[in-house]
Amino acid sequence: MKDSRRNKVIYIIYIACLLIFFYLPIVVMMVFSFNSSKSLTSMTGFSLRWYSRLISDGSIMRAVYVSLTIAILATVISVVLGTITAIGLSRSRKVMKDVVLNINNLPIMNPDIVTAISLMILFSSAMIAKGYMTMLAAHIAFCTPYVITSVYPKVRQLDPSLADAAMDLGATPFEALTKVIIPMLRDGIYAGILLAFTMSFDDFVISYFVTGNGVENISITVYNMTKRTNPTINALSTIVILVIAILLITSKLIPAMVKNTMKKVLAVLLVLVVGFTTFAGAKSSGRVLRVFNSGEYMDPELIENFEKEYNCKIIYETFDSNESMYTKLMSGSEYDIIIPSDYMIERLIKEKQLQPVNWDNITNKNLIDPANMGYPFDPDNTYSVPYFVGTVGILYDKNTVDEEDLKDGWELLRNPKYAGDIYMYDSERDSFMIALKALGYSMNTTDREEIKEAYDWLIDQRETMDVVYAGDDVMDNMIAGNKSIAVVYSGDGAYIMAENEDLGYFEPEEGTNEWCDAMVLTKYCQDTELAEQFMNYMLEPEVVYQNSIFIGYTTPVSEVRDELKDTEFEGINAYIPEFGAENNEVFQYQDTELRQFYSDLWTKVKAY
């Protein structure tokens, strides 16, 4: 008896631990959706500010609309196709059945990234403009195999003579299908519906590669929002979870409400299709400008203001890295303005993907600090208009790190005193830059022996310092004080220092990466006049002021930079990095062979 009770207690504890493991992260996320500050780790007070921002953010609401309509349409179409296919397979020859089932398993077993690239190449080679319809087609393509897999086992359980019996009793073939066969496949069809809807609503990888024309679903929008600390993600996720929970509870407690489900689904679908038609058919009566920028790297309000002022429509899309931007550009996606980094601009210039800027139309050019013009990647600024500038430096806790140790420069990152207390930025080029500068070499070296020495430096650091390679999550971690030292971009450093006054920032005397992100015109740009008006608009002092506060990065417009230095970023030296310092360099273009060499060594560093 005692053993039985003890087993029950153990079982209850096990279930409790399992539930905590599954649901505690969700609960924490929901709690922080009501946080009054931007921090994702420190609760400072109760507020509904992120829900208010969510509702007022048009881009998020459009993403919700796209996700819902795509998921519903893809689910309905894939369920119809999958069910018909499953029924047809039951009456096919064994050879045909085996072939179709094996083909059906390929998309299920195929990695999402392979499917995504394949579909992207297909749409590009067929000259199909990527947007809502390509995303819908892609979702139908990967949802249908799952529906077939759900429905086919139920079909096999049916008596093959049921349809014949129904028709012998006077039913038409269609009535036999809809009133006899399909009702008996109900469980399999419902399972297919749930699976297809969930996979479509949740998909990111495939959607990211097949979309265009400014169409983004929730997954893409949330992914772009994670480039900066954005608690609006918590508010959006909380609402999604609550809606799902309410639907589940309602379906269990009030069965009467779920009768005639198909009729209600069809009615909702009709409304959504009409809404989609309106959405897809709505086009600006003015001109259209296609802008491609890094995620969370422009205040959306500025885009709306430009559209009103110039009576045009901006199709604004975002990318997560220079490399993914390049991939989409080379796959056939066409944009008017893109905003890449220095080394990528040099690559695009070499590959003749850009067209010159007419500086006569950039009337605000005199506002740009001369120190932020004439970088090696575009010495005469023939192709590029500076957008944001900065450096890479070391952020440190002034209460923990000895000021004397700062004299070690980049070697501070190998000081045993701070082992286990360092964030390295998860960037191949910046990590090798640190090692090369610490060794006294150029960060643009092509000497394989010097690069191998830098590799050994990074490996030694991994062995002795127990460093953590972090991405944009380093911002919230440093605000929370989780570690004492971090390698950051100066703009991120300024943002972090504004939230945590115990932090300092410095750039080692050995030199660092001085970077510049700039606006450039692609060779596909047709309306260069509007594009250059946009570039000029982004240099207007009031626009620059608003954008720089929103992003937190350093503007090349000197008068605004000086004003912000004395107001919003007073006492924060990371906002005004040392431009043009003697040992600073700008990343240069690497040929394919050199990029591969670096990449192979970086893989070993991360895998160590």
Side-chain angles (χ1 to χ4, degrees):
M1 191 70 176
K2 291 182 179 180
D3 289 342
S4 177
R5 289 179 179 177
R6 184 170 63 247
N7 290 338
K8 287 182 179 180
V9 171
I10 293 174
Y11 179 73
I12 292 173
I13 294 174
Y14 170 78
I15 294 298
C17 291
L18 195 63
L19 292 174
I20 291 173
F21 178 77
F22 284 144
Y23 295 107
L24 183 60
I26 296 176
V27 173
V28 170
M29 180 270 299
M30 295 176 72
V31 170
F32 274 91
S33 71
F34 298 100
N35 194 7
S36 59
S37 75
K38 291 183 178 180
S39 176
L40 299 177
T41 57
S42 178
M43 192 73 181
T44 58
F46 180 86
S47 173
L48 295 174
R49 62 180 294 197
W50 307 117
Y51 288 90
S52 175
R53 177 175 292 185
L54 173 65
I55 295 172
S56 62
D57 192 330
S59 63
I60 295 179
M61 300 312 294
R62 285 192 296 270
V64 171
Y65 172 84
V66 169
S67 287
L68 283 174
T69 55
I70 289 282
I72 291 174
L73 288 169
T75 297
V76 172
I77 296 172
S78 62
V79 165
V80 171
L81 293 176
T83 302
I84 292 173
T85 302
I87 294 172
L89 284 176
S90 67
R91 295 179 174 271
S92 299
R93 294 181 179 179
K94 186 179 186 305
V95 174
M96 177 62 72
K97 190 184 304 180
D98 291 341
V99 170
V100 173
L101 289 175
N102 285 326
I103 293 175
N104 185 69
N105 288 332
L106 287 176
I108 297 175
M109 300 177 66
N110 221 18
D112 281 353
I113 187 65
V114 175
T115 303
I117 297 295
S118 302
L119 288 168
M120 180 184 70
I121 294 173
L122 172 65
F123 294 138
S124 297
S125 60
M127 303 298 290
I128 300 175
K130 289 189 281 292
Y132 189 100
M133 295 309 296
T134 53
M135 186 187 293
L136 175 60
H139 281 229
I140 293 171
F142 73 73
C143 285
T144 302
Y146 289 93
V147 175
I148 294 173
T149 303
S150 299
V151 176
Y152 183 65
K154 291 293 181 182
V155 175
R156 292 186 61 186
Q157 296 174 8
L158 294 181
D159 187 337
S161 61
L162 279 175
D164 295 333
M167 287 186 285
D168 287 342
L169 293 172
T172 64
F174 182 75
E175 289 175 330
L177 175 66
T178 57
K179 295 184 178 181
V180 178
I181 303 299
I182 289 181
M184 299 190 73
L185 302 176
R186 182 175 53 192
D187 292 342
I189 293 174
Y190 285 166
I193 289 173
L194 292 174
L195 194 56
F197 183 86
T198 302
M199 294 197 61
S200 176
F201 191 81
D202 180 62
D203 179 71
F204 164 72
V205 175
I206 296 175
S207 300
Y208 185 82
F209 282 92
V210 301
T211 190
N213 203 32
V215 177
E216 295 182 348
N217 60 9
I218 291 178
S219 298
I220 297 174
T221 301
V222 168
Y223 180 73
N224 289 327
M225 290 166 67
T226 59
K227 301 300 291 181
R228 309 281 295 176
T229 303
N230 194 332
T232 310
I233 299 172
N234 295 345
L236 176 62
S237 302
T238 299
I239 291 175
V240 171
I241 291 169
L242 291 177
V243 168
I244 293 172
I246 291 171
L247 289 175
L248 288 174
I249 292 171
T250 301
S251 65
K252 295 294 183 183
L253 298 181
I254 316 177
M257 293 183 63
V258 296
K259 290 182 178 179
N260 301 319
T261 304
M262 293 304 295
K263 291 182 180 179
K264 294 182 179 179
V265 168
L266 289 174
V268 171
L269 178 61
L270 180 61
V271 172
L272 290 172
V273 168
V274 172
F276 160 64
T277 304
T278 304
F279 173 82
K283 297 185 181 295
S284 173
S285 57
R287 296 177 292 179
V288 175
L289 186 68
R290 301 161 298 178
V291 179
F292 203 24
N293 193 11
S294 181
E296 292 287 292
Y297 209 32
M298 185 178 292
D299 188 342
E301 185 179 334
L302 297 176
I303 297 174
E304 297 175 6
N305 293 342
F306 182 84
E307 289 177 325
K308 294 176 183 177
E309 183 175 346
Y310 290 89
N311 187 31
C312 66
K313 172 66 178 176
I314 292 182
I315 297 175
Y316 185 75
E317 293 185 46
T318 56
F319 54 83
D320 65 319
S321 69
N322 285 286
E323 286 66 33
S324 66
M325 177 277 299
Y326 180 81
T327 300
K328 290 202 75 172
L329 198 64
M330 293 301 103
S331 71
S333 297
E334 296 184 0
Y335 303 96
D336 299 308
I337 295 177
I338 55 177
I339 308 179
S341 300
D342 32 51
Y343 69 94
M344 184 56 69
I345 294 175
E346 184 177 3
R347 180 177 184 179
L348 293 172
I349 292 173
K350 289 179 181 293
E351 296 179 1
K352 303 186 184 304
Q353 295 296 320
L354 305 180
Q355 58 178 295
V357 174
N358 183 356
W359 280 92
D360 291 337
N361 294 329
I362 312 298
T363 57
N364 292 317
K365 61 184 176 183
N366 294 328
L367 301 177
I368 302 174
D369 189 341
N372 302 131
M373 297 283 281
Y375 286 108
F377 62 88
D378 186 16
D380 299 320
N381 285 95
T382 303
Y383 299 93
S384 59
V385 178
Y387 181 64
F388 277 115
V389 291
T391 59
V392 175
I394 296 177
L395 195 69
Y396 64 96
D397 189 329
K398 293 181 286 189
N399 299 322
T400 305
V401 178
D402 190 338
E403 291 286 337
E404 285 296 314
D405 293 334
L406 301 184
K407 296 178 182 179
D408 295 337
W410 291 117
E411 286 295 335
L412 173 68
L413 303 175
R414 291 204 300 177
N415 188 330
K417 186 189 301 185
Y418 307 108
D421 205 18
I422 297 174
Y423 286 117
M424 284 285 286
Y425 199 73
D426 192 2
S427 165
E428 174 189 317
R429 294 206 72 175
D430 285 313
S431 293
F432 272 95
M433 177 276 294
I434 291 169
L436 288 165
K437 285 295 186 183
L439 293 167
Y441 300 136
S442 167
M443 68 185 199
N444 291 308
T445 182
T446 58
D447 188 310
R448 301 298 176 97
E449 293 303 318
E450 292 179 356
I451 297 171
K452 286 181 180 178
E453 285 186 54
Y455 164 74
D456 293 335
W457 192 97
L458 292 170
I459 289 296
D460 178 72
Q461 186 194 40
R462 291 298 300 264
E463 287 181 337
T464 60
M465 299 300 295
D466 190 27
V467 297
V468 174
Y469 281 91
D472 294 306
D473 55 320
V474 72
M475 291 190 288
D476 204 58
N477 280 302
M478 288 303 290
I479 291 173
N482 292 337
K483 291 189 185 298
S484 299
I485 298 173
V487 176
V488 297
Y489 291 119
S490 56
D492 291 337
Y495 174 87
I496 296 168
M497 291 172 70
E499 298 288 328
N500 186 340
E501 61 184 14
D502 293 330
L503 299 176
Y505 176 86
F506 83 102
E507 297 163 16
E509 292 184 1
E510 301 99 317
T512 185
N513 167 23
E514 184 174 323
W515 56 265
C516 174
D517 294 343
M519 299 175 282
V520 296
L521 298 176
T522 72
K523 67 178 183 180
Y524 306 106
C525 181
Q526 300 296 321
D527 195 343
T528 56
E529 181 184 0
L530 181 62
E532 287 162 351
Q533 286 175 331
F534 181 81
M535 290 176 167
N536 192 58
Y537 168 81
M538 295 307 299
L539 294 176
E540 292 179 5
E542 62 274 12
V543 172
V544 172
Y545 187 92
Q546 180 176 337
N547 204 31
S548 194
I549 291 177
F550 181 83
I551 304 299
Y553 273 48
T554 308
T555 171
V557 178
S558 53
E559 70 172 73
V560 176
R561 186 164 69 202
D562 293 339
E563 182 180 356
L564 286 170
K565 177 186 68 175
D566 298 329
T567 54
E568 297 290 334
F569 297 98
E570 183 179 4
I572 299 176
N573 66 321
Y575 184 73
I576 306 292
E578 297 181 26
F579 295 117
E582 182 180 355
N583 296 317
N584 286 359
E585 295 181 80
V586 177
F587 278 132
Q588 296 177 4
Y589 169 76
Q590 295 175 334
D591 60 37
T592 303
E593 186 178 351
L594 185 60
R595 283 200 305 272
Q596 188 60 51
F597 183 71
Y598 268 106
S599 180
D600 291 342
L601 293 179
W602 178 243
T603 300
K604 294 177 181 178
V605 171
K606 293 296 295 291
Y608 193 84

